[in-house]
Amino acid sequence: MSTELLPPVAPDVLADAVEQLSARLRKKLDAAISGCADQASATAGRAVEVHFGEDATVTLRPGPSGTVTNAEQAVCTCLLAPRCLHRAAVLGAAPIADGEGDTGGGDDSGTGKAAGSGTASDTGAGPEEPAPTAPTAGVAATVVTPAALTAAQVLAATALWDAAAEALSAGVTAGGAVVQAELLRAAHTARLAGLPRAEAAALRVVRSLRAARERSEGQRLADLTGAFRELLVGTAMLASGSADTDAAGSARRVYEQGGSLRVYGLCREPVLSATGYGGVTTHLVGSDGAGYTVSDVRPGGLARVKGAGSASVALGGAVLDHAGLARGGLRIVGATVSADGRLGAGRGVSATPLRGVDWSEEPAAALFTRPVQEAMAAVLADGAPEAGGPGRTAPSLLGCDVEVIGAAGDSVVVRVAGEGPLLRLRPAHPHPELPHAANLRRIAEHPGLALRVLGRPDLDRAATLRPLAVGPVPGASATLRLPDAWKGRADLGYDRLQGEHFPRETAGSADCGPVTAGPDPLAEAPLWRVRRLLETGVAGGRRAVAEAGRGTDAASLSARLTRAELGVAAHLAQALTTEAGRRPRDTFGRLTDPSADAYARAWLASAVHLAAAERSLVAASWS
């Protein structure tokens, strides 16, 4: 179903339209949605019309922002309007507009996380800014206690939990427009109550539900499972009343004064999200080792991704483009920095170009001299609270020197220098029009090649790195030979490696046999059975989990987990299947406990334990 012509619709507008339908019309809503988008046609201005035979025409007139934000902007000519099936179907077929503001935990595109060895909290002070002094004797330091959530916020979070639990119980098969509308209604209430992070998590679930029901290309059931886990964890914390206002997120991305900074480019990363955004993020490192990013991500597709890589940097009048900044530097006066390391472009910000630094020079060299096990432990520690929680962001960048061993499937197997662990290099972005995969295939053809790699660890796979840029290893003979204009590094998402960039002594690997990627503790552990059970619940709902618990597969699952000394996982999986099948009824066959609350809690307990167990196995694979 193509929705390119239909403008985005605010969640509350769609929820209101579905709520006004009668029970009879709600049963017909999903079938009406499936065909109406193809009947859309543009008219004068920015209006869009959808014809339903000769009797009804729905017209959407988005506002100046290009979004349908109120009910008056969606009208139908039939006699039942506005409580008609036609209007609700068109609104249900249109894309869902983004919630207002920032979630506090990074955006969908994954561009907000700071790179480098510094964490987000390290980026508040630049190297030329005086360090804060300790309190003098006799002066008590001020301790700021985070404010508690209000009663309205707790009620809104509870309503969102209930809606999310019902959506999880329904699954993809029964999670149609009515279920999605209830979730959108609760998400809108959460936004009004000041819970933007919870609203953003709910919108991600609804979008993933839609994509799964439409069988969109690139949609993964694992992504929807993770979205449900994130939403349920966040709302459970908020609904308990024990969380503080920091867990609610912020309505706007907050930029604080960072003083004067000197930042140096590391690499560019193309951004192409499933929600229709495209652009580039340039990763930088400060002279104090802290990580920063400059992003140019806007609505657009692949063409915008390619163009943004050489677009001008909108930061304090800087004359560099992103390609130049990735290999150069900036001196920024009056810098503004968000909590996740993103540099702002306020009116008081001015920037002048600096000479870039090679990866063998400080401060960039610190990324590659740190032992990879120690660096990965720091990455996992930074992301540990977010393993199953709200606002999970992309991990920090990790650098290391490696030796290429060869190809293993779609991965490149390398060994970290100094008898380090075996790693798998996988494309940072799978889109065939981006050169990530092609560059890795060329690298795999040169076993013995010494390579300096900068990438993002894949926290969902054993010993896997998603490289963003590569460069030659200083002092190595069999290493890359890059053009001088590239300043000693190749951005794998924009630059294309050619045969002339590789030494001759590493060529001719086509005759080499298959390469063993080394042990994979994630694949060897029977935790994949728990993952399959959880994904079965997301796809088929509560009934599918109950059916899975009735056959011999349930006993086999428990036995295999117990033999692998994963007794807690076995207990939680058994509790999930038991709760899924618990549907007590009265004498007349009516459910005495129709709530999905207990089922959602059992599913969430198993999902959070699985995420923690897999994270432990990933950590072990890097040692």
Side-chain angles (χ1 to χ4, degrees), residues 589-612:
R590 296 171 298 191
L591 288 173
T592 58
D593 183 15
S595 172
D597 180 81
Y599 169 73
R601 293 187 183 278
W603 185 93
L604 180 59
S606 186
V608 171
H609 179 269
L610 174 65

mmCIF file of all heavy atoms in Angstrom, residues 589-612:
data_model
loop_
_atom_site.group_PDB
_atom_site.id
_atom_site.type_symbol
_atom_site.label_atom_id
_atom_site.label_comp_id
_atom_site.label_asym_id
_atom_site.label_seq_id
_atom_site.Cartn_x
_atom_site.Cartn_y
_atom_site.Cartn_z
ATOM 1 N N GLY A 589 -19.525 -18.599 30.323
ATOM 2 C CA GLY A 589 -18.441 -18.537 29.358
ATOM 3 C C GLY A 589 -17.791 -17.177 29.217
ATOM 4 O O GLY A 589 -16.982 -16.972 28.308
ATOM 5 N N ARG A 590 -18.127 -16.267 30.112
ATOM 6 C CA ARG A 590 -17.537 -14.930 30.040
ATOM 7 C C ARG A 590 -16.224 -14.893 30.820
ATOM 8 O O ARG A 590 -16.115 -15.530 31.877
ATOM 9 C CB ARG A 590 -18.505 -13.891 30.599
ATOM 10 C CG ARG A 590 -19.791 -13.753 29.804
ATOM 11 C CD ARG A 590 -20.797 -12.883 30.513
ATOM 12 N NE ARG A 590 -21.185 -13.459 31.799
ATOM 13 C CZ ARG A 590 -22.210 -13.014 32.530
ATOM 14 N NH1 ARG A 590 -22.940 -11.993 32.087
ATOM 15 N NH2 ARG A 590 -22.504 -13.580 33.685
ATOM 16 N N LEU A 591 -15.266 -14.129 30.311
ATOM 17 C CA LEU A 591 -13.978 -14.006 30.995
ATOM 18 C C LEU A 591 -14.165 -13.282 32.324
ATOM 19 O O LEU A 591 -14.772 -12.205 32.384
ATOM 20 C CB LEU A 591 -12.980 -13.233 30.131
ATOM 21 C CG LEU A 591 -12.425 -13.968 28.902
ATOM 22 C CD1 LEU A 591 -11.590 -13.016 28.059
ATOM 23 C CD2 LEU A 591 -11.589 -15.167 29.321
ATOM 24 N N THR A 592 -13.643 -13.877 33.390
ATOM 25 C CA THR A 592 -13.720 -13.221 34.697
ATOM 26 C C THR A 592 -12.565 -12.256 34.918
ATOM 27 O O THR A 592 -12.626 -11.407 35.806
ATOM 28 C CB THR A 592 -13.709 -14.278 35.812
ATOM 29 O OG1 THR A 592 -12.515 -15.072 35.697
ATOM 30 C CG2 THR A 592 -14.932 -15.191 35.694
ATOM 31 N N ASP A 593 -11.515 -12.400 34.137
ATOM 32 C CA ASP A 593 -10.368 -11.480 34.241
ATOM 33 C C ASP A 593 -9.881 -11.169 32.830
ATOM 34 O O ASP A 593 -8.904 -11.746 32.351
ATOM 35 C CB ASP A 593 -9.247 -12.115 35.066
ATOM 36 C CG ASP A 593 -8.067 -11.169 35.269
ATOM 37 O OD1 ASP A 593 -8.237 -9.955 35.018
ATOM 38 O OD2 ASP A 593 -6.981 -11.641 35.663
ATOM 39 N N PRO A 594 -10.534 -10.237 32.138
ATOM 40 C CA PRO A 594 -10.166 -9.955 30.749
ATOM 41 C C PRO A 594 -8.919 -9.098 30.599
ATOM 42 O O PRO A 594 -8.427 -8.893 29.493
ATOM 43 C CB PRO A 594 -11.395 -9.206 30.219
ATOM 44 C CG PRO A 594 -11.964 -8.532 31.426
ATOM 45 C CD PRO A 594 -11.705 -9.463 32.581
ATOM 46 N N SER A 595 -8.382 -8.597 31.698
ATOM 47 C CA SER A 595 -7.225 -7.713 31.615
ATOM 48 C C SER A 595 -6.005 -8.460 31.102
ATOM 49 O O SER A 595 -5.777 -9.635 31.421
ATOM 50 C CB SER A 595 -6.921 -7.105 32.981
ATOM 51 O OG SER A 595 -5.701 -6.390 32.954
ATOM 52 N N ALA A 596 -5.198 -7.765 30.298
ATOM 53 C CA ALA A 596 -3.949 -8.333 29.788
ATOM 54 C C ALA A 596 -2.751 -7.936 30.639
ATOM 55 O O ALA A 596 -1.606 -8.166 30.252
ATOM 56 C CB ALA A 596 -3.720 -7.871 28.345
ATOM 57 N N ASP A 597 -2.994 -7.355 31.818
ATOM 58 C CA ASP A 597 -1.913 -6.833 32.643
ATOM 59 C C ASP A 597 -0.949 -7.934 33.080
ATOM 60 O O ASP A 597 0.271 -7.804 32.922
ATOM 61 C CB ASP A 597 -2.506 -6.127 33.867
ATOM 62 C CG ASP A 597 -1.435 -5.562 34.779
ATOM 63 O OD1 ASP A 597 -0.916 -4.472 34.479
ATOM 64 O OD2 ASP A 597 -1.089 -6.219 35.786
ATOM 65 N N ALA A 598 -1.479 -9.025 33.630
ATOM 66 C CA ALA A 598 -0.602 -10.090 34.130
ATOM 67 C C ALA A 598 0.178 -10.735 32.991
ATOM 68 O O ALA A 598 1.363 -11.074 33.144
ATOM 69 C CB ALA A 598 -1.429 -11.136 34.874
ATOM 70 N N TYR A 599 -0.466 -10.910 31.842
ATOM 71 C CA TYR A 599 0.244 -11.488 30.689
ATOM 72 C C TYR A 599 1.380 -10.577 30.237
ATOM 73 O O TYR A 599 2.489 -11.041 29.944
ATOM 74 C CB TYR A 599 -0.730 -11.723 29.543
ATOM 75 C CG TYR A 599 -0.056 -12.063 28.239
ATOM 76 C CD1 TYR A 599 0.524 -13.310 28.036
ATOM 77 C CD2 TYR A 599 0.030 -11.116 27.218
ATOM 78 C CE1 TYR A 599 1.172 -13.611 26.846
ATOM 79 C CE2 TYR A 599 0.667 -11.417 26.026
ATOM 80 C CZ TYR A 599 1.239 -12.663 25.847
ATOM 81 O OH TYR A 599 1.884 -12.950 24.667
ATOM 82 N N ALA A 600 1.116 -9.276 30.165
ATOM 83 C CA ALA A 600 2.156 -8.332 29.735
ATOM 84 C C ALA A 600 3.334 -8.327 30.699
ATOM 85 O O ALA A 600 4.492 -8.245 30.286
ATOM 86 C CB ALA A 600 1.573 -6.929 29.601
ATOM 87 N N ARG A 601 3.052 -8.442 31.989
ATOM 88 C CA ARG A 601 4.146 -8.462 32.968
ATOM 89 C C ARG A 601 4.966 -9.750 32.841
ATOM 90 O O ARG A 601 6.198 -9.721 32.984
ATOM 91 C CB ARG A 601 3.590 -8.313 34.383
ATOM 92 C CG ARG A 601 2.973 -6.942 34.632
ATOM 93 C CD ARG A 601 2.562 -6.733 36.079
ATOM 94 N NE ARG A 601 1.912 -5.446 36.240
ATOM 95 C CZ ARG A 601 2.551 -4.271 36.378
ATOM 96 N NH1 ARG A 601 3.881 -4.270 36.381
ATOM 97 N NH2 ARG A 601 1.885 -3.146 36.512
ATOM 98 N N ALA A 602 4.307 -10.859 32.596
ATOM 99 C CA ALA A 602 5.050 -12.112 32.407
ATOM 100 C C ALA A 602 5.898 -12.048 31.145
ATOM 101 O O ALA A 602 7.057 -12.505 31.131
ATOM 102 C CB ALA A 602 4.068 -13.283 32.347
ATOM 103 N N TRP A 603 5.352 -11.491 30.060
ATOM 104 C CA TRP A 603 6.116 -11.347 28.812
ATOM 105 C C TRP A 603 7.299 -10.410 29.024
ATOM 106 O O TRP A 603 8.411 -10.689 28.564
ATOM 107 C CB TRP A 603 5.197 -10.803 27.719
ATOM 108 C CG TRP A 603 5.827 -10.731 26.361
ATOM 109 C CD1 TRP A 603 5.778 -11.674 25.377
ATOM 110 C CD2 TRP A 603 6.621 -9.654 25.831
ATOM 111 N NE1 TRP A 603 6.491 -11.257 24.277
ATOM 112 C CE2 TRP A 603 7.019 -10.024 24.520
ATOM 113 C CE3 TRP A 603 7.029 -8.427 26.338
ATOM 114 C CZ2 TRP A 603 7.798 -9.190 23.722
ATOM 115 C CZ3 TRP A 603 7.824 -7.599 25.544
ATOM 116 C CH2 TRP A 603 8.184 -7.990 24.248
ATOM 117 N N LEU A 604 7.062 -9.310 29.736
ATOM 118 C CA LEU A 604 8.122 -8.334 29.938
ATOM 119 C C LEU A 604 9.241 -8.904 30.802
ATOM 120 O O LEU A 604 10.422 -8.658 30.545
ATOM 121 C CB LEU A 604 7.541 -7.071 30.581
ATOM 122 C CG LEU A 604 8.524 -5.937 30.865
ATOM 123 C CD1 LEU A 604 9.200 -5.471 29.588
ATOM 124 C CD2 LEU A 604 7.819 -4.769 31.551
ATOM 125 N N ALA A 605 8.891 -9.660 31.834
ATOM 126 C CA ALA A 605 9.927 -10.256 32.691
ATOM 127 C C ALA A 605 10.843 -11.163 31.882
ATOM 128 O O ALA A 605 12.073 -11.120 32.021
ATOM 129 C CB ALA A 605 9.272 -11.028 33.829
ATOM 130 N N SER A 606 10.256 -11.977 31.013
ATOM 131 C CA SER A 606 11.067 -12.862 30.184
ATOM 132 C C SER A 606 11.889 -12.072 29.176
ATOM 133 O O SER A 606 13.057 -12.407 28.915
ATOM 134 C CB SER A 606 10.155 -13.863 29.466
ATOM 135 O OG SER A 606 10.909 -14.826 28.771
ATOM 136 N N ALA A 607 11.319 -11.002 28.609
ATOM 137 C CA ALA A 607 12.029 -10.207 27.610
ATOM 138 C C ALA A 607 13.215 -9.468 28.227
ATOM 139 O O ALA A 607 14.298 -9.406 27.629
ATOM 140 C CB ALA A 607 11.073 -9.218 26.957
ATOM 141 N N VAL A 608 13.026 -8.896 29.401
ATOM 142 C CA VAL A 608 14.120 -8.165 30.056
ATOM 143 C C VAL A 608 15.234 -9.125 30.466
ATOM 144 O O VAL A 608 16.426 -8.824 30.321
ATOM 145 C CB VAL A 608 13.585 -7.386 31.275
ATOM 146 C CG1 VAL A 608 14.724 -6.806 32.096
ATOM 147 C CG2 VAL A 608 12.659 -6.265 30.820
ATOM 148 N N HIS A 609 14.865 -10.287 30.980
ATOM 149 C CA HIS A 609 15.894 -11.270 31.348
ATOM 150 C C HIS A 609 16.665 -11.734 30.116
ATOM 151 O O HIS A 609 17.890 -11.894 30.157
ATOM 152 C CB HIS A 609 15.249 -12.473 32.034
ATOM 153 C CG HIS A 609 16.238 -13.532 32.414
ATOM 154 N ND1 HIS A 609 16.563 -14.579 31.570
ATOM 155 C CD2 HIS A 609 16.999 -13.699 33.529
ATOM 156 C CE1 HIS A 609 17.474 -15.338 32.148
ATOM 157 N NE2 HIS A 609 17.749 -14.844 33.336
ATOM 158 N N LEU A 610 15.951 -11.941 29.013
ATOM 159 C CA LEU A 610 16.624 -12.356 27.778
ATOM 160 C C LEU A 610 17.611 -11.293 27.319
ATOM 161 O O LEU A 610 18.744 -11.616 26.913
ATOM 162 C CB LEU A 610 15.591 -12.625 26.686
ATOM 163 C CG LEU A 610 16.147 -12.941 25.296
ATOM 164 C CD1 LEU A 610 16.919 -14.248 25.315
ATOM 165 C CD2 LEU A 610 15.031 -12.994 24.264
ATOM 166 N N ALA A 611 17.211 -10.018 27.359
ATOM 167 C CA ALA A 611 18.114 -8.943 26.935
ATOM 168 C C ALA A 611 19.364 -8.901 27.806
ATOM 169 O O ALA A 611 20.478 -8.718 27.303
ATOM 170 C CB ALA A 611 17.381 -7.604 26.981
ATOM 171 N N ALA A 612 19.192 -9.076 29.121
ATOM 172 C CA ALA A 612 20.349 -9.057 30.018
ATOM 173 C C ALA A 612 21.254 -10.264 29.780
ATOM 174 O O ALA A 612 22.487 -10.144 29.795
ATOM 175 C CB ALA A 612 19.873 -9.022 31.465
#
